[in-house]
Amino acid sequence: MTKTLRRALLGAVFVTASGAALCGGTTWAATIKVGVIAPFSGPFATAGQTFKQGIEIYQAQHGKTVGGDTIEFVYKDLDQANPAQSKALAQELIVKEKVGYLAGFFFTPDALAVAPLIDEANIPCVIFNAATSAITEKSPRYVRTSFTLWQNTVPLAEHMAKQGIKKVVTAVSDYGPGIDGETAFKQTFEKAGGQVVDSIRMPLKSTDFAPFMQRIKDSGAEAIYAFLPAGPTTLGFAKAFNDTGLKAAGIKFFGPGDITQEPDLPALGDAAVGITTTFNYSQAHDSEMNRQLLAKAKELFGSSDLVTFSTVGAYDGTHVIYKMVEATGGKPDGLKAVEAVKGMAWDSPRGPLKIDPNSRHVTQTIYLRVTERKDGKLQNTEIASFPDQPDYGYKGGK
Ligand code: PHB
């Protein structure tokens, strides 16, 4: 880090601190800014939109103030995985916007890129999605309210082995979360007596999946485990699986629930029917809190059709930020804020959550789901649950 940036960051923290400081024995209300970095344009724009909706639903239900301080969200668009740009946007948020918190982050490389900045400025970073286990090992100021690939994949691989499936091919996007999914699957499935007959890694930017479908066919596997980041990627892959005849050939399709996220189900159509996934949230989850979340989405946005895992990642992340502000009395102290939420447990629209004090990642119920049509509409129906799943991939760190 350059001296200039260091001075600017220290200045930023000082200014934020003065906004909430004691003055003549009294405090005055401050505005605490939260900088949210996410895709709001381009092919993954829906992800940013779901973050924003999750934040707005939470604020509509719980208000915009904590202990007299107003919580204001400032959005920065990062249209694709681009760590250099992520770092530049985080600097701008810290130095110019004087945010006290960073949040959002759809893609792993973008979340990883801000580790030195949040440490230098002592700012907590609440990750709403990015799901590679190693992220929270890189700074003690990361807290994550989404899921990890390890967390979803271990129960899925065990379930598949119990179903008597013997030969599986893995197909993943070739970057952090994909490698985690591939490793978690192979390790768990082979321990349970299964065999991974081929491991396919696809470039993150792939749009033509036909060659990979041929390789899946040639592998002789009876089932596939697939992970790609939710959006046009998963949509293209799942459609190709159908269109190239792999579904008709009887190859069973499994993966973490990114592959059947709710906003993509109408476009996937019947290609989605029968895909079996594990995940932390389904729009079809049967709970009062989830019904309230969906009702509020409908009231605010005219529809609840976009509500998905990244909505609740942001909704619960906002809850964590509110608790951090409350615990620090609105004063800027990143480490104290993180310390205050370690071990915190609460009920979410997805089920019970707890922040593991070591990994700073949420321990949660992972659900086994199958995609089906109900009353004409595609949904992820929960058919079994695995409570208290930790991040199996956390190896310890800072
Ligand atoms: C990630 O880059 O960590 C990521 C992105 C999209 C997902 C899951 C993980 O659906």
Side-chain angles (χ1 to χ4, degrees):
M1 179 167 308
T2 63
K3 267 194 179 149
T4 329
L5 173 61
R6 188 188 304 268
R7 263 200 298 274
L9 288 174
L10 290 172
V13 171
F14 173 74
V15 171
T16 316
S18 67
L22 278 169
C23 173
T26 52
T27 54
W28 68 84
T31 295
I32 294 169
K33 288 189 181 180
V34 181
V36 180
I37 297 177
F40 292 100
S41 66
F44 291 93
T46 303
Q49 203 180 343
T50 60
F51 283 174
K52 195 158 183 280
Q53 289 195 350
I55 292 164
E56 288 176 359
I57 294 167
Y58 187 87
Q59 290 206 304
Q61 288 178 336
H62 300 273
K64 291 186 175 172
T65 60
V66 178
D69 296 322
T70 301
I71 316 296
E72 183 192 328
F73 288 84
V74 183
Y75 297 93
K76 290 282 178 204
D77 181 19
L78 182 58
D79 66 337
Q80 56 182 309
N82 182 343
Q85 182 66 3
S86 176
K87 203 169 171 183
L89 290 173
Q91 278 181 15
E92 194 183 321
L93 283 164
I94 296 168
V95 175
K96 287 205 192 126
E97 297 281 352
K98 307 190 189 338
V99 299
Y101 293 81
L102 280 181
F105 299 101
F106 188 63
F107 289 109
T108 287
D110 301 333
L112 281 172
V114 304
L117 292 183
I118 59 174
D119 283 344
E120 190 70 29
N122 190 19
I123 280 179
C125 179
V126 180
I127 297 171
F128 293 169
N129 183 66
T132 304
S133 289
I135 298 172
T136 63
E137 296 164 11
K138 305 295 181 207
S139 163
R141 290 167 183 82
Y142 284 123
V143 176
R144 178 165 43 200
T145 53
S146 50
F147 57 88
T148 67
L149 268 294
W150 275 90
Q151 196 170 31
N152 287 318
T153 301
V154 168
L156 179 61
E158 284 171 352
H159 165 77
M160 287 168 68
K162 278 198 196 119
Q163 293 294 301
I165 295 169
K166 294 273 180 263
K167 287 184 176 179
V168 173
V169 54
T170 60
V172 301
S173 289
D174 191 5
Y175 79 122
I179 311 297
D180 269 10
E182 179 192 281
T183 312
F185 186 83
K186 190 175 168 69
Q187 200 168 301
T188 313
F189 191 61
E190 295 198 336
K191 200 166 144 197
Q195 189 193 351
V196 174
V197 293
D198 195 4
S199 302
I200 301 172
R201 293 184 181 178
M202 304 170 285
L204 183 53
K205 297 212 162 143
S206 303
T207 50
D208 176 14
F209 295 103
F212 304 117
M213 295 303 152
Q214 189 57 47
R215 219 173 123 183
I216 293 166
K217 211 179 242 172
D218 294 345
S219 74
E222 62 203 284
I224 173 174
Y225 164 93
F227 167 79
L228 302 92
T233 22
T234 41
L235 188 61
F237 185 89
K239 271 195 164 301
F241 186 85
N242 196 50
D243 297 348
T244 55
L246 268 66
K247 184 177 179 178
I251 299 174
K252 298 188 191 83
F253 194 151
F254 294 88
D258 314 67
I259 205 101
T260 57
Q261 69 153 343
E262 284 79 1
D264 290 335
L265 288 178
L268 264 176
D270 285 336
V273 172
I275 299 180
T276 304
T277 53
T278 43
F279 223 24
N280 60 353
Y281 177 75
S282 163
Q283 224 187 73
H285 180 65
D286 182 15
S287 79
E288 188 48 36
M289 268 191 102
N290 189 37
R291 275 186 285 279
Q292 283 176 16
L293 174 97
L294 294 168
K296 191 53 90 177
K298 203 155 188 191
E299 181 191 321
L300 295 175
F301 318 117
S303 159
S304 56
D305 288 354
L306 286 190
V307 174
T308 190
F309 66 100
S310 40
T311 319
V312 289
Y315 179 92
D316 290 312
T318 304
H319 180 63
V320 169
I321 291 167
Y322 272 42
K323 289 293 164 193
M324 286 174 163
V325 172
E326 189 181 300
T328 48
K331 292 180 194 66
D333 186 340
L335 275 185
K336 192 175 170 197
V338 171
E339 206 55 46
V341 299
K342 285 183 182 174
M344 175 179 148
W346 72 100
D347 284 323
S348 152
R350 63 181 113 158
L353 293 186
K354 186 176 177 186
I355 296 176
D356 179 296
N358 294 316
S359 66
R360 285 158 281 107
H361 174 82
V362 281
T363 298
Q364 61 193 321
T365 304
I366 296 300
Y367 303 89
L368 180 72
R369 311 103 48 86
V370 64
T371 311
E372 61 176 17
R373 241 181 230 290
K374 195 162 177 217
D375 305 326
K377 195 182 164 196
L378 286 163
Q379 67 168 41
N380 296 306
T381 305
E382 292 172 354
I383 52 176
S385 56
F386 309 97
D388 298 323
Q389 298 297 300
D391 174 15
Y392 294 103
Y394 182 72
K395 295 191 181 67
K398 287 190 183 179

